[in-house]
Amino acid sequence: MADTNTPPDARTEAPLLEIRGLRIGFPRPDGPPLVVVDGVDLSIRQGEILGLVGESGSGKSMLALAAMGLVPAPGYVMAGDIRLDGRDLVTLSEREWQKVRGRTLGMVFQDPMTGLNPVRSVGALLGESVRRHQKVGPEEAAAISEAALKAVGIPAARERLAAFPHQLSGGLRQRVMIALALVNRPRVIIADEPTTALDATIQAQILDLLRDRLHEAGGLMITHDLGVAAEICDRIAVIYHGRIVETGRTRDVLAAPRHPYTAGLLAAVPRFHGRGTRLIPIRGAPPGPVSERVECSFRPRCAKAAPECAAAPALEAIAPGRSVACHHPVAAAPAREDAQ
Amino acid sequence: MTRSSAIRDAMLKRVTELAVLLFAITTLLFFLLRLGGDPAMIMAGDEADPEVVALIRARYGLDQPLIVQYLRYLGAMLTLDFGESLRASRSALGLVLERLWSTLLLALLALLITAVLSIPLGAWLGYRPDSGDRKAVNAVVFVLQGIPGYIAGLLLIQLFVVELRWLTSIGNQGISSWILPSLTLASFLVPKMVRVISANVSEAMREDYIRTARATGASGPELLLRHALPNALLGATALIGTQFAFLMSGSLITEVIFAWPGFGALLVASVTRLDFPVVQAAVFVIAVLVFLVNAGTDILFNLIDPRLRRQTT
Ligand SMILES: Nc1ncnc2c1ncn2[C@@H]1O[C@H](COP(=O)(O)OP(=O)(O)O)[C@@H](O)[C@H]1O
Ligand SMILES: [Mg+2]
């Protein structure tokens, strides 16, 4: 498939993480598997944050877990490549995966209240990961852990090593979760809805932190909130019903969404919404997972649906670094003059 | 409220509970025992002279109206005076306490065996509860849980004493004689604890923090031993209190089977002989013991669960 979602200036640089044709399925006893991620291509370069945006149930978490080799059974990767620095991960054994997780790939999960072991101290959690991947003694591991806590903006880092999760606020816990993802300086950090469980004010702080830390490596920022993606992502990929429907540089996508679904998402974000007009939620709900796709999955909800939409459209380049999967994309001229 | 006054209040509440509990148990016991028969007749024997029986009654105050006996009994109990054994002319409480250590030794050994057997087995079962071999073991444990504990004791005696002649089954004659009774007593607890621990482990393995640990590269054994098991065992410590009470009732049967010189056997013998003072003293001691273990578990729980530990920062 053509390299369609690469900005021209970055084209020479090989991607850090490259996903090609990824399909993830759940077997069914009475028929072919349900496909929840269906032929996704993504790439992330050094120093770049890619936003993966879509409604709940669209397959974002499954994609992230596949990149970590953690698709929950009975789900499995049906097809595709996941390459990290050119090395194929899909074929790794569990033992090899364990050397990659936490070392070259770090992951931040959504809920810091349940995501940290209640009976392990912060220092024990971090130190365990450091000593698993780096040949250091306990003192050096503690020093590395402390540095990681400092890097995520936790005050009194040394004392916090002795703290247990319940002694920390939600915001601090999420910082610890981020420290856990980056303590071994991974090449790519995946953050799955890292601010969804947090208060609005804390959300902004955590986004600032992620913007800095993810840019130092490569970042995959997963969110259902286009506004959050707009804050920190260099590029955006919009996922709908297990497929990427639109990609492009963040400012291009926000200025002129080409897929009707992206346009709908944008219209539902208060910050991008013109004053005096109504917020327009996308009508209807996304379809459940299917085994085989015939029509465009967005067709039942789409205002522009036409007879051609009975055949699912492919993702095609429409400009350098910009692609869309739609038979009737929204006009290229800014659909909403207030979108900036 | 300051911390020390909170602790004082908690202790006061506990002590009040204990006092109410002891009052209720001893009162109930007093009247129940009097329904059972006339101890003077039993002491004197079936063929005894009525005058002898009357003498015995007078000696132990059994000729007084029941309410007087009860009030006397309550008054004496306040000073921990349960009277003399009707059989041995010795202090009833002294008899019980003398036997206490044998019972505690047995209980401790049984707890140790229970921990050694049920922690690894429970962890193994709970780690992947859906795999075929573990389902089979789980079914066996489930069946074992339904078998009364004393059956285990009888089977052990049949095998090791009668068939193999490796061990003895009578009394406390040193370490080799501890094995069968403590195994028997442990058999009361093991199936239950295996099931609790395996359920806790399999629940913990589904928690979000396990996925977080996986994402840092933890292997299967690390997930189990460092992340799931500590949480599972913490949950199981809350059961120590109730399981100890269960252990005490198991020790009655076990001690009778093995003629173990503990106070369980003493209690059973005293009930059949209507030796009221000893029965009352033994039940009193068991109640205090169970209470102490429960209170101790609470304190232990507060010490080892970081969520309950006081913040030190
Ligand atoms: N065990 C499962 N069996 C079948 N389908 C599943 C299972 N787990 C998740 N799914 C489906 O996979 C799809 C993608 O889920 P997910 O990646 O969690 O979505 P998102 O993170 O975008 O909200 C959903 O439609 C969900 O119903
Ligand atoms: Mg999700």
Side-chain angles (χ1 to χ4, degrees):
Chain A
M1 194 169 288
D3 189 1
T4 50
N5 53 12
T6 314
D9 45 315
R11 196 157 279 182
T12 46
E13 206 185 321
L16 266 183
L17 182 72
E18 185 163 40
I19 294 174
R20 284 285 166 254
L22 183 66
R23 276 164 72 85
I24 302 170
F26 283 88
R28 272 190 307 175
D30 53 343
L34 292 173
V35 180
V36 299
V37 170
D38 190 7
V40 165
D41 301 346
L42 289 177
S43 64
I44 297 169
R45 273 160 204 78
Q46 167 63 40
E48 173 187 63
I49 305 178
L50 173 69
L52 182 64
V53 184
E55 282 165 299
S56 159
S58 54
K60 306 181 299 291
S61 293
M62 288 304 148
L63 189 144
L65 291 170
M68 296 293 292
L70 290 176
V71 173
Y76 68 108
V77 173
M78 302 169 69
D81 299 335
I82 302 170
R83 293 185 176 277
L84 185 70
D85 271 335
R87 177 190 186 201
D88 187 17
L89 300 182
V90 170
T91 56
L92 292 188
S93 70
E94 174 59 22
R95 267 184 175 269
E96 290 166 326
W97 263 119
Q98 284 162 15
K99 290 187 191 128
V100 172
R101 293 183 201 126
R103 178 54 168 160
T104 37
L105 280 172
M107 181 147 177
V108 180
F109 293 94
Q110 173 173 339
D111 191 349
M113 303 319 257
T114 57
L116 294 172
N117 194 330
V119 305
R120 306 291 306 280
S121 69
V122 170
L125 289 171
L126 287 165
E128 183 186 314
S129 180
V130 171
R131 299 196 64 191
R132 180 176 298 133
H133 296 295
Q134 305 182 39
K135 288 198 162 30
V136 297
E139 289 86 21
E140 202 176 335
I144 294 172
S145 305
E146 188 188 334
L149 290 186
K150 281 201 183 113
V152 297
I154 293 186
R158 182 180 294 268
E159 290 75 60
R160 294 294 184 191
L161 287 177
F164 285 86
H166 74 279
Q167 296 170 322
L168 307 173
S169 66
L172 278 182
R173 285 194 206 191
Q174 193 59 312
R175 286 176 194 268
V176 169
M177 192 82 105
I178 296 167
L180 204 52
L182 56 75
V183 68
N184 292 307
R185 303 193 162 277
R187 304 276 281 149
V188 174
I189 299 169
I190 300 171
D192 188 359
E193 306 261 9
T195 60
T196 306
L198 305 175
D199 298 343
T201 49
I202 312 284
Q203 255 188 34
Q205 296 169 14
I206 296 291
L207 279 182
D208 282 341
L209 171 66
L210 286 169
R211 183 189 295 119
D212 296 343
R213 295 290 87 86
L214 265 55
H215 270 131
E216 290 166 1
L220 179 62
M221 172 75 188
I222 294 179
T223 173
H224 65 274
D225 184 345
L226 201 51
V228 165
E231 286 275 326
I232 71 168
C233 298
D234 305 298
R235 284 191 301 126
I236 285 179
V238 178
I239 184 171
Y240 184 77
H241 199 227
R243 283 195 171 182
I244 304 294
V245 295
E246 177 162 10
T247 66
R249 276 183 299 191
T250 304
R251 61 174 160 337
D252 296 342
V253 173
L254 293 182
R258 302 299 305 275
H259 196 285
Y261 177 63
T262 316
L265 281 181
L266 199 61
V269 177
R271 286 192 305 125
F272 301 124
H273 188 72
R275 217 179 290 174
T277 46
R278 274 188 325 122
L279 279 180
I280 317 152
I282 307 171
R283 63 194 169 114
V290 293
S291 298
E292 202 163 356
R293 194 175 307 252
V294 185
E295 62 170 12
C296 169
S297 300
F298 193 58
R299 186 188 186 192
R301 304 171 76 184
C302 187
K304 304 183 67 185
E308 305 87 276
C309 303
L315 186 65
E316 277 169 30
I318 50 167
R322 192 76 199 281
S323 29
V324 65
C326 182
H327 296 301
H328 296 285
V330 181
R336 336 173 32 85
E337 57 287 350
D338 54 359
Q340 320 274 150
Chain B
M1 200 193 299
T2 67
R3 190 179 165 198
S4 68
S5 82
I7 291 179
R8 193 157 357 106
D9 285 359
M11 276 170 57
L12 205 66
K13 183 163 163 273
R14 282 259 174 212
V15 170
T16 316
E17 276 171 18
L18 176 62
V20 172
L21 177 81
L22 288 177
F23 175 76
I25 284 182
T26 47
T27 301
L28 191 69
L29 196 63
F30 179 89
F31 290 105
L32 273 180
L33 285 173
R34 265 68 187 176
L35 292 176
D38 183 347
M41 290 286 283
I42 290 183
M43 286 168 78
D46 283 347
E47 313 286 310
D49 192 330
E51 278 180 32
V52 176
V53 175
L55 271 175
I56 293 175
R57 286 221 175 90
R59 165 133 158 53
Y60 292 101
L62 298 170
D63 53 347
Q64 304 286 319
L66 204 55
I67 186 71
V68 175
Q69 288 185 44
Y70 174 61
L71 289 177
R72 270 196 195 167
Y73 158 74
L74 275 190
M77 222 179 50
L78 285 178
T79 59
L80 292 183
D81 174 10
F82 292 88
E84 278 189 3
S85 159
L86 303 186
R87 308 287 297 191
S89 5
R90 290 188 43 200
S91 144
L93 187 61
L95 262 179
V96 170
L97 290 180
E98 196 180 283
R99 298 273 194 115
L100 183 63
W101 304 115
S102 287
T103 297
L104 287 183
L105 170 71
L106 205 57
L108 212 66
L109 288 172
L111 281 176
L112 210 69
I113 293 170
T114 304
V116 166
L117 289 179
S118 48
I119 292 174
L121 189 57
W124 180 74
L125 284 173
Y127 179 56
R128 273 198 198 122
D130 298 324
S131 73
D133 49 345
R134 293 174 221 221
K135 270 188 178 155
V137 175
N138 237 332
V140 172
V141 173
F142 185 76
V143 170
L144 286 181
Q145 199 182 358
I147 296 177
Y150 59 86
I151 302 278
L154 297 178
L155 289 176
L156 287 170
I157 291 180
Q158 180 65 30
L159 181 63
F160 289 105
V161 181
V162 179
E163 303 285 341
L164 298 172
R165 295 168 183 269
W166 286 355
L167 297 168
T168 164
S169 69
I170 308 289
N172 180 353
Q173 307 168 28
I175 293 178
S176 71
S177 71
W178 299 356
I179 298 172
L180 293 183
S182 50
L183 273 175
T184 302
L185 190 51
S187 74
F188 283 79
L189 299 187
V190 170
K192 165 97 176 163
M193 289 314 287
V194 168
R195 286 173 61 74
V196 167
I197 290 171
S198 81
N200 286 359
V201 166
S202 75
E203 196 181 314
M205 287 301 294
R206 290 192 297 270
E207 295 282 353
D208 279 356
Y209 58 74
I210 293 291
R211 195 182 52 185
T212 306
R214 271 192 217 281
T216 69
S219 65
E222 282 176 313
L223 292 175
L224 176 62
L225 297 178
R226 288 187 174 169
H227 293 272
L229 196 56
N231 281 283
L233 292 183
L234 199 59
T237 49
L239 276 180
I240 292 178
T242 52
Q243 290 306 295
F244 185 78
F246 190 55
L247 197 68
M248 285 293 107
S249 64
S251 76
L252 300 188
I253 298 166
T254 307
E255 290 180 6
V256 170
I257 293 178
F258 291 98
W260 184 262
F263 75 24
L266 176 68
L267 177 57
V268 173
S270 305
V271 168
T272 50
R273 294 173 196 147
L274 295 182
D275 193 344
F276 299 166
V278 176
V279 174
Q280 282 155 354
V283 170
F284 184 90
V285 168
I286 290 184
V288 171
L289 214 55
V290 168
F291 172 84
L292 287 180
V293 168
N294 270 305
T297 309
D298 271 11
I299 294 171
L300 184 74
F301 207 63
N302 277 281
L303 286 178
I304 60 178
D305 188 339
R307 280 160 295 191
L308 301 177
R309 235 182 270 158
R310 293 284 158 163
Q311 196 155 350
T312 46
T313 41

